[in-house]
Amino acid sequence: MSRIHPNGTAEPSSSRRRRAASASGSAAAARCCAGTSSSTTVAAAAAAYTVWMRSSMGFQGTDGVSAYDAAGELAFRVDNYSRRPKLLAGELLLMDGRGLPLLSLRPQIISMHDQWNCYRSASPEDECQGKSARSSQRLFSVRKCSALLQSSREAEVFFCTTTAADRSASDHGGPSFWVEGCFLRRSCKIRRGSDGEEVARIARKKAGAGDDNKAGASTLLGEDVFSLVVQPGVDSVTIMAIVVVLDRICRRPYTPLMCSS
């Protein structure tokens, strides 16, 4: 089964087995989620990912999320995905390309805003010491905005362990991040709550529109494949977790089939 690359080509089976996501990059991202900073980690350019709403597991019946970086390597994955109602959905585990846990996403059962909470996952060292994989340290929450507000915001993100910028937004009663646009149409932006600056963008994926394509022909891929661009200095792990939650809270309304007469 072929894979979808950011450059629009299919991934060969040999590359499929290379789950070489950077361990140092994942660790730095995890530290950023916890509110700590690394002065030695400097992003030089925006990070581009292709997100495929399918599990990276190749056998039949699996469901999940797979995100590939610009080099075509598996960067993030969710294999224990569930589209069941929130009462039965349980926990979703966001992992890096090698399967190491990064964050756990849990629905808040009693919530008027279809809220999901993000927690830190236990590291392999913690598990070796007998610590539980279900951490109680909540990092942030994602809430769906009410349609009655007639706002362009689709969801809002509220951090618990915050940076100075996040605390500034929270002091004014606002979210740390908010989502503008329509996720179901794969056309939305994630903006920082303190200044409204765009930190990530989601758009429909086009294949065959590279610079070497002089004819300019391109093919618009299905809605289960889309591009995600994360701006420099923004934690990709946090953004990816928001994307996974958006797919759970922004469900398509039921549309009955119309029979022609």
Side-chain angles (χ1 to χ4, degrees):
M1 185 175 181
S2 62
R3 292 291 187 261
I4 304 299
H5 274 235
N7 58 13
T9 60
E11 180 182 9
S13 59
S14 60
S15 297
R16 198 178 310 165
R17 294 189 292 266
R18 297 198 305 265
R19 307 291 172 78
S22 172
S24 60
S26 300
R31 287 194 299 270
C32 183
C33 282
T36 60
S37 62
S38 176
S39 59
T40 59
T41 303
V42 179
Y49 300 94
T50 292
V51 182
W52 194 21
M53 304 308 294
R54 292 290 185 273
S55 172
S56 60
M57 308 294 288
F59 48 83
Q60 186 73 16
T62 57
D63 197 2
V65 182
S66 304
Y68 297 87
D69 60 20
E73 299 291 346
L74 185 61
F76 303 107
R77 53 190 281 199
V78 178
D79 293 328
N80 59 332
Y81 201 75
S82 173
R83 297 182 185 275
R84 293 177 297 177
K86 186 169 65 172
L87 289 174
L88 305 174
E91 178 182 84
L92 303 180
L93 184 63
L94 176 63
M95 301 174 286
D96 65 8
R98 299 174 300 163
L100 295 178
L102 298 174
L103 300 173
S104 61
L105 309 172
R106 308 172 199 166
Q108 183 163 316
I109 304 303
I110 302 177
S111 172
M112 297 181 61
H113 301 280
D114 205 354
Q115 177 172 315
W116 282 66
N117 301 320
C118 176
Y119 299 82
R120 174 178 304 285
S121 295
S123 64
E125 292 78 9
D126 293 336
E127 294 180 356
C128 291
Q129 297 175 3
K131 296 182 179 180
S132 173
R134 294 177 59 89
S135 171
S136 60
Q137 180 186 0
R138 187 171 70 178
L139 302 178
F140 59 88
S141 300
V142 184
R143 307 173 187 174
K144 184 176 177 60
C145 295
S146 174
L148 300 177
L149 298 179
Q150 296 183 348
S151 172
S152 61
R153 298 187 181 186
E154 188 163 46
E156 295 177 333
V157 182
F158 295 84
F159 273 78
C160 300
T161 55
T162 60
T163 63
D166 295 326
R167 284 194 297 269
S168 177
S170 300
D171 291 343
H172 292 84
S176 304
F177 295 104
W178 48 278
V179 181
E180 174 188 70
C182 181
F183 177 77
L184 286 179
R185 296 175 182 173
R186 310 311 189 208
S187 177
C188 61
K189 301 175 183 178
I190 301 177
R191 297 187 179 276
R192 184 180 294 114
S194 58
D195 53 13
E197 181 179 356
E198 178 184 325
V199 297
R201 176 176 297 198
I202 295 171
R204 290 289 298 274
K205 181 70 178 180
K206 294 182 179 180
D211 295 336
D212 55 347
N213 189 352
K214 297 181 180 179
S218 62
T219 301
L220 191 65
L221 300 180
E223 293 182 348
D224 61 338
V225 180
F226 55 91
S227 63
L228 171 66
V229 178
V230 182
Q231 295 302 315
V234 180
D235 177 31
S236 295
V237 177
T238 298
I239 298 300
M240 192 64 219
I242 295 173
V243 170
V244 173
V245 173
L246 284 175
D247 188 61
R248 292 296 291 124
I249 67 178
C250 299
R251 295 182 293 270
R252 292 186 180 278
Y254 172 71
T255 304
L257 297 176
M258 303 298 293
C259 299
S260 58
S261 58

